[in-house]
Amino acid sequence: MKIDNNDRLIGYLQHIIHWSVRVLAILMVFVIVMGVVDVAWTLYQKLNAPPRFILTISDMLATFGAFMAELIAIEIFINITVYLREDVIHVKIVLATALMAIARKVIILDTEQADPMYILALGAVVLAMSVGYWLIHRLPDSRHVGE
């Protein structure tokens, strides 16, 4: 059987993409570790600033935002590792990551400073993402259809 040059090229390009995704996974671990260090350092600074060992509401919201950013980074890492194992992008995982990112935005949102249209748009995005996730979650797994 003769191997078509296009098949060889596609195989070569897929190999490059596979290694690129591995590099991204390594870089994402670095980002996660540095983010954890940053969260710990920020928390240390907030607790040592006068009044000592007390977090204000704005301190807690900033800390929650940093924690959520770390959780989003971990979710992105999971997306990368799932892609490496299965060579597909799972929409459910991507939507869950997007929901977490929009939830972070809602948690750290300063409603006093935000424009009402911005809050309405943010609500629409939350609703759309939630409905999308719910629909994807309700769909039967295509690997088991027909069994």
Side-chain angles (χ1 to χ4, degrees), residues 5-19:
N5 282 340
N6 285 337
D7 291 340
R8 206 177 300 160
L9 176 63
I10 297 296
Y12 177 70
L13 294 175
Q14 285 176 333
H15 188 72
I16 290 172
I17 288 172
H18 191 72
W19 277 100

Side-chain angles (χ1 to χ4, degrees), residues 9-57:
L9 176 63
I10 297 296
Y12 177 70
L13 294 175
Q14 285 176 333
H15 188 72
I16 290 172
I17 288 172
H18 191 72
W19 277 100
S20 297
V21 172
R22 286 180 178 191
V23 170
L24 284 175
I26 292 166
L27 293 173
M28 187 52 89
V29 169
F30 176 74
V31 167
I32 290 168
V33 169
M34 294 310 296
V36 169
V37 169
D38 181 62
V39 169
W41 177 251
T42 301
L43 197 54
Y44 173 78
Q45 286 180 320
K46 298 284 185 195
L47 288 172
N48 280 322
R52 291 178 54 112
F53 304 112
I54 301 224
L55 291 177
T56 65
I57 294 296

Side-chain angles (χ1 to χ4, degrees), residues 61-78:
L61 287 176
T63 304
F64 290 160
F67 272 93
M68 291 295 288
E70 278 305 295
L71 291 174
I72 293 165
I74 291 168
E75 287 294 323
I76 292 170
F77 175 77
I78 290 169

